[in-house]
Amino acid sequence: SADLKLLEEATISVCKSLVEKNPRTGNLGSLIKVFLSRTKELKISAECQNHLFIWQAHNALFIICCLLKVFISRMSEEELKLHFTYEEKA
């Protein structure tokens, strides 16, 4: 759709920067880990009508989806592995 095309055009520089720096920083993996660790709280948040938490989780998932789309469309399988095998240096 037109909105999706506008979003991709507006965020391409940020995505390119993340693609370049992520093997060193592990930011994408960290975002995914935080999202997954917080999903357990979503049910409780829905029951308590904590709309702020649900909104934050929705936004995090949206960002992850957008980034993964860029990663998958622009990288080989080997390059993708580099982005998900980050190990923190001691």
Side-chain angles (χ1 to χ4, degrees):
S1 72
D3 289 340
L4 183 58
K5 190 75 171 163
L6 286 173
L7 176 66
E8 288 176 0
E9 290 172 2
T11 59
I12 194 68
S13 65
V14 172
C15 291
K16 284 182 180 179
S17 178
L18 183 69
V19 166
E20 181 182 306
K21 296 175 183 173
N22 189 62
R24 291 187 312 274
T25 64
N27 287 331
L28 179 60
S30 294
L31 177 59
I32 293 170
K33 285 178 187 176
V34 168
F35 174 77
L36 290 174
S37 71
R38 306 283 312 266
T39 56
K40 297 170 189 152
E41 302 167 34
L42 277 174
K43 183 177 179 183
I44 296 167
S45 295
E47 291 169 356
C48 298
Q49 297 184 353
N50 182 348
H51 298 291
L52 179 62
F53 182 78
I54 295 168
W55 175 72
Q56 289 172 341
H58 176 270
N59 287 343
L61 186 57
F62 180 74
I63 292 167
I64 291 167
C65 289
C66 290
L67 291 172
L68 288 177
K69 181 180 177 188
V70 170
F71 277 43
I72 291 168
S73 67
R74 296 178 180 259
M75 291 182 201
S76 69
E77 186 176 333
E78 290 301 315
E79 289 174 309
L80 277 171
K81 284 181 187 178
L82 292 175
H83 289 274
F84 291 98
T85 56
Y86 172 80
E87 291 184 24
E88 192 172 319
K89 309 281 189 281

